[in-house]
């Protein structure tokens, strides 16, 4: 997770902020390797999602950060459905816990989206922030 967060900040977000296009890669959980992703141009709105997207290194490069809150049972079910098994789950959860505690990801977010905050409220807050 640490390597992915560093990659996002240094190889994707920083070059985009400098006006450069980037070629991304994505992790294939089933093959246990990186695959080619997409070419991203430094224009318009760019949305980055995923564990580790909000870190001390990435936050200065983001216009807004949204923390998505979900109970572990829902996250676990979604991960198993997406990836097909849970052999990696406990180790991943340990990495997440350590990363979020160290990076203070939730505290770095501008907004939290979860059980108590709906999409409509978030959109309203974003509109207010844009002025």
């Amino acid at each position: 997770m640490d390597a992915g967060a560093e990659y996002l900040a240094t190889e994707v977000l920083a070059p985009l902020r400098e006006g450069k296009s980037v070629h991304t890669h994505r992790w294939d959980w089933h093959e246990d390797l990186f695959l080619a992703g997409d070419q991203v141009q430094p224009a318009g709105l760019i949305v980055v999602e995923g564990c580790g997207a909000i870190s001390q290194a990435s936050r200065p490069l983001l216009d807004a950060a949204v923390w998505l809150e979900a109970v572990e049972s829902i996250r676990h079910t979604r991960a198993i459905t997406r990836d097909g098994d849970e052999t990696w789950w406990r180790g991943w959860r340990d990495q997440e816990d350590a990363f979020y505690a160290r990076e203070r990801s939730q505290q770095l977010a501008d907004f939290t989206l979860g059980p108590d905050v709906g999409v409509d409220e978030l959109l309203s807050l974003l509109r207010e922030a844009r002025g």
Side-chain angles (χ1 to χ4, degrees), residues 17 25 61 65 73 98 106 109 124:
R17 281 288 183 189
H25 63 255
L61 302 166
S73 61
Q106 185 172 9
S124 176

Side-chain angles (χ1 to χ4, degrees), residues 4-107:
E6 181 178 343
Y7 165 79
L8 174 65
T10 61
E11 302 298 321
V12 178
L13 296 174
L16 286 172
R17 281 288 183 189
E18 295 170 0
K20 300 174 185 172
S21 64
V22 296
H23 291 278
T24 63
H25 63 255
R26 63 183 177 83
W27 184 253
D28 185 316
W29 289 96
H30 301 287
E31 298 297 324
D32 197 31
L33 53 81
F34 283 106
L35 300 175
D38 298 309
Q39 183 171 0
V40 179
Q41 301 297 326
L45 177 66
I46 298 170
V47 176
V48 177
E49 64 82 23
C51 302
I54 306 173
S55 69
Q56 299 288 326
S58 70
R59 188 60 189 99
L61 302 166
L62 304 171
D63 292 324
V66 179
W67 177 264
L68 178 60
E69 186 69 34
V71 296
E72 184 168 352
S73 61
I74 291 172
R75 294 172 56 242
H76 181 257
T77 299
R78 288 178 181 167
I80 300 312
T81 300
R82 179 192 64 214
D83 299 326
D85 69 59
E86 64 177 57
T87 56
W88 54 270
W89 177 253
R90 187 71 256 157
W92 179 254
R93 284 293 296 125
D94 292 344
Q95 286 183 52
E96 278 188 318
D97 290 345
F99 182 88
Y100 295 144
R102 182 185 70 245
E103 296 294 326
R104 298 180 10 263
S105 299
Q106 185 172 9
Q107 292 82 4

